[in-house]
Amino acid sequence: MSWTVEYAPERGWVVVTASGEIRDEDARAQTVEALYLVAHHRATGILIDYSDALSEVSLAELYWLPDYAAEVGVPWGIRVAVVLPQRQYRLESFQFFELVCNNAGWDVKLFEPKAAVEDWLAQAAPVQRHAEHPAAA
């Protein structure tokens, strides 16, 4: 397991890159670090590249992640692009994550392959504070 979370200033995004086996504690640490960088740099998107990863993250952990984003006050309108793993392993967990996030009002989309990610992230909507979003009402 190895992963990095960094801010890409030329794009205005936070980039999470992972390889190998990823567990709950990795996903939680990646989320905390990514959301800190979003707030610190006022990023407009997050690119999660799991193309070389093997996710063993539990559904319970995936369910918690969008709630955590709301708790720490991440602005609405942030787009999150997830690049699916090359090994078609546990794809239903990625679909679950997308569904949970979208139901909570976050704009999350799965990609395979990575090619269309940059165009989608570049079309980010204006970022809104948590209290301004219709889902917060």
Side-chain angles (χ1 to χ4, degrees):
M1 163 273 324
S2 82
W3 53 268
T4 60
V5 179
E6 55 194 13
Y7 177 67
E10 69 282 359
R11 294 184 174 130
W13 310 329
V14 172
V15 179
V16 179
T17 307
S19 63
E21 191 172 286
I22 303 300
R23 299 206 164 271
D24 286 359
E25 57 273 9
D26 301 311
R28 188 172 289 250
Q30 290 169 11
T31 301
V32 169
E33 196 168 330
L35 296 181
Y36 168 79
L37 290 175
V38 164
H40 184 73
H41 294 286
R42 298 189 182 275
T44 59
I46 301 173
L47 168 59
I48 302 170
D49 186 352
Y50 268 34
S51 57
D52 293 323
L54 199 66
S55 177
E56 291 291 352
V57 179
S58 70
L59 295 182
E61 187 71 20
L62 294 172
Y63 190 81
W64 167 84
L65 296 176
D67 288 341
Y68 176 74
E71 284 176 26
V72 297
V74 172
W76 295 103
I78 296 293
R79 285 189 157 196
V80 179
V82 180
V83 180
L84 293 171
Q86 294 173 24
R87 294 185 202 165
Q88 303 287 299
Y89 179 72
R90 293 191 70 219
L91 291 183
E92 68 281 353
S93 66
F94 290 92
Q95 294 162 342
F96 176 78
F97 175 70
E98 179 184 38
L99 179 66
V100 167
C101 289
N102 289 334
N103 285 346
W106 300 101
D107 195 1
V108 175
K109 188 171 179 180
L110 307 178
F111 289 89
E112 177 192 25
K114 191 176 177 177
V117 169
E118 293 193 18
D119 289 340
W120 185 76
L121 280 175
Q123 299 169 5
V127 174
Q128 300 174 346
R129 292 279 152 220
H130 183 70
E132 299 168 345
H133 193 275

